[in-house]
Amino acid sequence: MSESVQNSTDARRHWLGPVEALIAPIAVALLVAIVVALGVMGWWSIRAERTAVVAARTAHVVSTSQLLADSVHSMLASDDVSGVRRLVAGATQHNGLQVCRIELPDGSILADQQVANTTIDTLPEQWAGGDSTGEVVQQFNDNALTLIYPIQIP
């Protein structure tokens, strides 16, 4: 058995030579390090791309919702409820929003992308002011961004 091991060692030395036998393990280790580095860089670039996509989508949703809030404010001030409903339905469809609705402080829904979810037909004469502080509320949960815009109607 030792004779076969010695023969394979001799064969390797004839094949590589003394200098190459010293360099080969270093070259293999360097090759493994390069492959690992390429894998890590690929993972990092995919992760960075996904983060950029989420940030861009979040910015798009925020700007869309701000535009909706401003538009709804002026439409409700002129008592254009049907226009608000068309705007909400169109914004939901064209911007890929999962849920978009105008909800009053008492929980009744004035406009929703699903017409069946609307609970009132006209604006009430008066309603409770709610607990609105006038600030936008952003909530992240279950891979969803929820934005709540207080709309002051004169």
Side-chain angles (χ1 to χ4, degrees), residues 53-119:
V53 166
V54 168
R57 180 64 180 152
T58 301
H60 180 256
V61 169
V62 167
S63 65
T64 299
S65 60
Q66 181 62 51
L67 181 64
L68 276 172
D70 293 342
S71 299
V72 166
H73 176 267
S74 63
M75 293 171 96
L76 288 180
S78 64
D79 204 27
D80 186 11
V81 175
S82 64
V84 169
R85 290 183 176 145
R86 284 191 309 272
L87 183 67
V88 166
T92 302
Q93 183 179 14
H94 295 298
N95 293 295
L97 303 176
Q98 291 179 352
V99 176
C100 183
R101 68 173 50 142
I102 307 298
E103 190 173 321
L104 300 180
D106 65 358
S108 57
I109 299 172
L110 180 67
D112 193 290
Q113 81 269 18
Q114 298 292 326
V115 178
N117 293 341
T118 303
T119 59

Side-chain angles (χ1 to χ4, degrees), residues 23-46:
I23 294 175
I26 296 171
V28 169
L30 185 61
L31 183 64
V32 167
I34 289 171
V35 168
V36 168
L38 286 172
V40 168
M41 286 187 289
W43 168 81
W44 181 80
S45 65
I46 289 171

